[in-house]
Amino acid sequence: MPPTMLSAKEATPAQADGRAGKYLTFQLANEEFGIRVLKVREIMGLQEITAVPQTPAHIKGVINLRGKVVPVIDLRLKFGIPAAEYTQRTCIIVTQVQAESGAVLMGIVVDGVSEVVNLTGSEIEDTPDFGEQIAGRYLLGMAKVKGKVKILLDIDKVLSTQEIHHLGSLA
Amino acid sequence: MSCSADLRQNIEDLALRLVMGGTESATAPADWISAIEAIRAKAADEQAAVLTATAEAALEQVRGASFQNDEGRRAVLPEIITRLQQALEGETEPPRSADLALGQDPELLADFALESREHLAAIEAQVLILERDPGNKEALHAAFRGFHTIKGLAGFLELWEVQRLAHEVETVLDRARNGELALGAAAIDVILLSADNLRRWLSHVEAGLRGENSPPPIQDQALLDRIQSLNGAPPETKPAAGLATLACQVEVADRGADGGPAAAPPSTPRRETMAVKVDTTKLDFLVDMAGEMVIAESLVRHDRELAGLKTPQLQRKLAQLTRITAELQRTAMSLRLVPIGPLFGRMARLVRDLSRQFGKRVGLETSGNEIELDRTIVEELADPLMHMVRNSLDHGIETPQERERQGKPAVAHVYLKAHHQSGQVVVEVADDGRGLDREKIRAKAIERGLISEDRILSDNETYNLIFEPGFSTAQKVSNVSGRGVGMDVVRRHVEKLRGRIEIRSSRGDGSSFFLKLPLTLAIIDGLVVGVGVERYIVPLFTVREMFRPRADTIWTVQNRVEMALVRGTLLPVLRLYRKFRVSPKSEDPLESILIVAEVEGQRFCLLVDELIGKQEVVIKSLGETFNTVTGVSGGAILGDGRVGLILDLDRLFKERNSESDY
C-alpha cells in the first residue's frame, strides 16, 4: 500500500539539513527504502546463513564475513511484511550501527538494491502518521525523487537490540 | 537537570513578597510556610533533589518551636530565600565533580589513571620489601620516585586531592631517604594505606570518565594526620609495635638468614625493555585475523581444483606459505601473553595483611613468575587466587602456638607456583598448614544432604565436595571466608577458563590446589558435529567418549526423560535436534552418535547425527543480538568457511528438560 501524502508538515529547515546526504535505496515488497550511505559497509549476494536457535523469526542467523561472525536480520519479517522467496536479486546489506556496546556490524536481507541517491534538504519531508505498519520511530523521513517516494530508515533504531527482542511481530 | 520556569517564578514571588514588606502582616508566617511548601512540592515533582532538600530544611526551620514568636521567624526568611535561590542555581547547572576538572582531556585522565595504577603496584612491592628490609636503599628510592611521579602528574591534571596525598607521603619517604626518619611498622602501614586511598581516587576518576556519578572518596583526615605526625616526628621514632607487627619484623630476620629462594614480590630490578602501548582491541583483532589466516590458508591448500595443478614448484611455495602462516599465528598469540609474576606479587600484600589480621606468621614463596599466560586468563585468575589464599590463611594455616605444639616451624608458608605441563599451564596454590580434614568434609556434606550416609567416596571425591555451592566447614564465619562461597566461585572461574582443579592434601602437612589451564582462551579444540544441515562445535575438553548406541542403550523414563546406559551408569540424554528445533538426518538413535560430555563433575549425553571431525577454531562472540540465546556460547568459522555454533554445555545440561521458547 503506497503511503499517501496526507497533511505533510512543513519540514523545518534545520531538521531537513541534518537529514540531507547520500542514501542507498533498496526494495522491500513494493516499497523503496533508503538508509544513509555512511551506515553501509558492504553489499553482498545472498550466502549461506547459519541459523541460531531460540531466536525470533526475523533473526535469520549469522554469516561469515571474511572471518567476522555477523548477525543477519530479515527486514520483511522485522516489519511484519509476509516473507517472500529469496530470488537472485535478494541481497544482504551489511550495515554498521550503534549498539549499546559500540559500533557493530549487522546484515539485513532485502529484496534488491537500487541505487545511491543524493538528497537535498528540500527533497526530504517528515513522515505523516500512517498507522503502525511500520513504527514511526524507525523513520527519518520521506523523500520524493523522480516522482517516486522513498522511505528513509533510521537503521540504528531498526536494528537496536531492544527492538530485536521486544518486537515479536509489529504487524 | 534544569528546573522549570514555574519553580523559578515561585521562588522569585516569595522574594518579592519579602521586599514588599509582606512580613509585617500577621498571617505572613502561614503564608510563607504554604509558599515554601508549594516550592518543595514542585521541586520534588521535578526531581530537583538539592532544592527539595533545601526547601524541606527551610520548612523545618520556620515551623520549628525554637522561634519564640513570629519576629524570629520573619528574620530568617531572607536567609531562606537566598538558600533556595542558590539551590535553584545549583540545579540548573550539571553537577560538576570538583576533582574531575572541567576541560581536562579524558584521554590524559585515562592515561594518568592507568599509569598511576602501575606506579602504585610497583610502590606496594617496594614498600613490602622495605618492611622486611628497612635498610634497602633501592626500594626506598623507588617508592619515593613512584609517589613523586604521581604527585607531579596529579598536579598537572589539577587533581588537587590526589596531589596533596601523594605529596604528604612523598615527604615521609624523602625524610627517610635523608636519614631524618626511620620507617617503622606504623610508617609502613600508613604508606600502604595511602596507596590504597590513592587507588580509590583513581577508581573515582575512572568512574567519572565512564560517565558514572560516583562520590569522591572521603579524604581520610585521620590518615593525613598520621602522615603529618610522621613528618613532624623527631628522627628515630620507635613504632608503637603490637605483638603481630614485632613478629613481622622478626620474621624478616629469619627469612634473611635462610637465604631462601627469591620470594615474592620479585625484587629483581625492572628490566628496561622497549615497549609500546597498544590498544587491546587492535591486538585482539590481529590475533583474530591471524587465526583466520590459518583457516584460509588451509582452504587454499586443500582446494580440489588446485590439487590437479600441483607441480613440485607449487608444492614448495604452498609449504612455505604454510610455514609462514603458522609462525605468524604463533607470534600473534604470543602478543596476548603476559607473565604471571605480577599477579603473584599482588598476593604478597594480601598475605601480609591477613597474617596480621589472623595473628599468624606466614611467608609467601613464589616460583615460575616468568611463565606466561593469555592476559585474560591472568585477569580471571586474580579472584580465585585471592579466595584460595584467604582460605589458606584463615582455615588452613595454624596459629604459631599450635604449629609449635605440633613440632612445625612457627612461620607457615603459602606457595604460589606456575609451570608448564604437556601443553597446559599448571598454577599451584599450596600451604604447609593443617591440610583438608576428610572426616569433617564428609560430615558436612552429609549434613547438607549432598551425599547419602552410606556413600563411599575416594579421597579425591571427598575433597571435591568443597566445590559444591553452599559448602563450608568453617566453625565460625569470619568476615573473610567461611561463608561457603569461595570454592564454588573458584571452580566456576576455573571452568570458565576451560581449566580444571585438582586437590592434593595430607592431614597435618598441608594442601595443594592445582589449577590446570589451557594456554589461551581465544582458540578451542572443537569436535565438529552435524545435526541435519547444521554444524555445531563441542568443546573437546568436555568430551569423555563417543559411540553409536545400540538398541539396549537408550531408555525412556516416565515416557519423557531419556537416559543412556553408559558403562553401567544411567546418564541423561539430550537430543540436540529437539532442543534446537532443527530437522535431523535421522531421529533413530541407532543411526546417530552419542557424545558423553562432562560439566562440573556431571556427565550427560548429546545425541547428534554424525561426527564431522576435530578442528581447532577461533572463538567469535555472536554479539548482543544473541544475548538471550542459551545453549550456544559463540561461533567459529569452520574449515569450509561456514559458521559453526559453539555449544554451551553448561546451559544445555542445566536446561536439558525444558523446552525453548521459540
Side-chain angles (χ1 to χ4, degrees), chain B residues 158-221:
Chain B
E158 295 179 18
L159 297 166
W160 307 122
E161 295 294 348
V162 176
Q163 186 207 36
R164 184 163 160 230
L165 185 54
H167 174 69
E168 298 289 341
V169 183
E170 174 203 52
T171 312
V172 171
L173 288 165
D174 198 23
R175 300 190 70 218
R177 283 201 309 181
N178 299 335
E180 293 168 24
L181 175 62
L183 290 178
I188 300 279
D189 262 353
V190 157
I191 297 174
L192 287 173
L193 285 174
S194 307
D196 287 341
N197 215 328
L198 282 172
R199 274 201 201 96
R200 279 196 283 275
W201 276 101
L202 291 179
S203 298
H204 171 61
V205 168
E206 286 166 340
L209 285 172
R210 284 193 299 268
E212 293 161 19
N213 222 353
S214 80
I218 307 167
Q219 190 59 288
D220 194 343
Q221 194 54 42

Side-chain angles (χ1 to χ4, degrees), chain A residues 50 54 64 67 101 106 161 165, chain B residues 620 624-625 630 641 643 662:
Chain A
T50 302
Q54 296 167 27
N64 165 15
S101 53
M106 285 187 125
T161 332
H165 287 290
Chain B
K620 313 267 179 184
E624 274 173 28
T625 324
T630 60
V643 176
Y662 289 103

Side-chain angles (χ1 to χ4, degrees), chain B residues 427-591:
Chain B
V427 176
E428 183 185 341
V429 183
D431 65 59
D432 58 4
R434 299 191 179 97
L436 294 174
D437 188 336
R438 267 195 317 274
E439 290 316 310
K440 237 179 168 183
I441 295 177
R442 195 187 153 77
K444 204 70 174 188
I446 294 176
E447 180 190 315
R448 297 227 187 277
L450 293 168
I451 52 171
S452 60
E453 282 209 21
D454 48 3
R455 185 84 180 278
I456 311 223
L457 294 169
S458 67
D459 282 358
N460 229 347
E461 290 172 319
T462 313
Y463 294 146
N464 276 307
L465 287 170
I466 66 175
F467 293 120
E468 294 301 317
F471 185 97
S472 169
T473 57
Q475 295 300 71
K476 58 174 172 44
V477 174
S478 68
N479 71 339
V480 167
S481 55
R483 250 178 247 115
V485 171
M487 288 321 272
D488 170 46
V489 168
V490 167
R491 180 167 74 174
R492 240 182 297 131
H493 269 279
V494 173
E495 293 207 337
K496 201 164 133 197
L497 297 172
R498 299 204 302 280
R500 310 226 225 152
I501 310 187
E502 278 173 23
I503 308 178
R504 233 173 279 165
S505 174
S506 131
R507 277 305 292 286
D509 291 332
S511 322
S512 295
F513 292 82
F514 296 91
L515 281 68
K516 302 196 167 166
L517 305 162
L519 279 172
T520 167
L521 280 184
I523 293 196
I524 189 180
D525 252 341
L527 188 65
V528 184
V529 300
V531 178
V533 297
E534 307 295 340
R535 296 281 172 267
Y536 301 103
I537 300 172
V538 183
L540 204 53
F541 77 97
T542 61
V543 175
R544 296 292 168 265
E545 56 186 296
M546 347 170 224
F547 60 96
R548 190 182 293 279
R550 291 199 321 254
D552 53 359
T553 311
I554 301 203
W555 302 75
T556 312
V557 176
Q558 293 182 333
N559 222 22
R560 231 174 49 87
V561 177
E562 274 184 308
M563 307 283 263
L565 196 61
V566 181
R567 295 173 195 281
T569 318
L570 277 178
L571 302 175
V573 172
L574 178 63
R575 294 192 183 225
L576 262 187
Y577 70 82
R578 207 173 272 163
K579 178 75 186 173
F580 289 157
R581 309 256 174 111
V582 295
S583 13
K585 281 204 178 128
S586 165
E587 297 198 3
D588 184 358
L590 298 182
E591 292 177 8

Side-chain angles (χ1 to χ4, degrees), chain A residues 109-126:
Chain A
V109 180
V110 301
D111 292 349
V113 166
S114 306
E115 55 175 344
V116 173
V117 292
N118 203 343
L119 298 175
T120 62
S122 52
E123 290 171 302
I124 304 179
E125 306 191 6
D126 286 342

